[in-house]
Amino acid sequence: MSAGHPFVSQTVLDCRHPRALAEFYRELLGYSYRPGDEPPPAGEPDPRGEDWLVLRPGPDGGPGAAAAGRGLAFQAGADYVPPVWTPGPHRPGDQQQMLHLDLTVPDPESLERQRDRVIALGGSELYDRSDDVDEPLYVFADPAGHPFCIFVSG
């Protein structure tokens, strides 16, 4: 980090239900809640889970994790509309996604395991390019509709 440049601390995903989306990514990525953002005991109110939550890499979401700049935050929006993912070239005026996450795995076997995990966690498959020799990948949508990719990075 340099005093002359800003630092990307986290990517923020808008959604209707921050707790549900945070739980999806917590399970998928193995991240931890920022201290204070953990879910309350069963049956207790969850005011933080209705507004804004942060996940950090690492077992405790502590200071070292924040310095990595790879956190995800989840912000409630009553008027949230899921992004639209369309494969292929785009024409002027087409509705398009604004941003997506790229996640990597080391090999095709890991890619297939992660595909199964995404589906089991409530995500959906948008595009299958797993047979591509140069860069096997899947495009998924999380439960709130945000597209993300998992691909083999060699």
Side-chain angles (χ1 to χ4, degrees):
M1 181 174 1
S2 165
H5 297 92
F7 177 74
V8 177
S9 173
Q10 61 206 8
T11 299
V12 180
L13 298 174
D14 292 339
C15 57
R16 286 202 179 106
H17 307 287
R19 179 67 67 199
L21 193 57
E23 279 297 298
F24 172 83
Y25 281 104
R26 185 185 67 78
E27 287 288 332
L28 180 64
L29 301 174
Y31 281 18
S32 299
Y33 283 102
R34 173 182 65 177
D37 283 355
E38 301 88 353
E44 295 289 320
D46 187 15
R48 286 193 130 169
E50 297 172 7
D51 183 42
W52 174 268
L53 297 168
V54 177
L55 293 176
R56 298 276 185 235
D60 63 358
R70 296 177 290 150
L72 289 175
F74 307 90
Q75 174 175 274
D79 296 330
Y80 170 74
V81 176
V84 175
W85 181 82
T86 53
H90 301 286
R91 298 182 313 263
D94 284 353
Q95 184 179 10
Q96 299 177 38
Q97 65 180 341
M98 301 294 287
L99 168 117
H100 73 272
L101 301 174
D102 275 348
L103 311 175
T104 62
V105 294
D107 54 57
E109 294 78 21
S110 298
L111 180 63
E112 292 306 316
R113 277 194 306 276
Q114 295 307 317
R115 180 208 171 275
D116 293 345
R117 289 186 67 237
V118 167
I119 301 305
L121 290 169
S124 58
E125 184 181 306
L126 298 176
Y127 182 67
D128 177 351
R129 198 180 80 191
S130 60
D131 60 354
D132 186 283
V133 176
D134 295 323
E135 188 180 62
L137 71 79
Y138 285 104
V139 179
F140 300 102
D142 67 26
H146 302 101
F148 66 95
C149 298
I150 301 180
F151 61 94
V152 175
S153 176

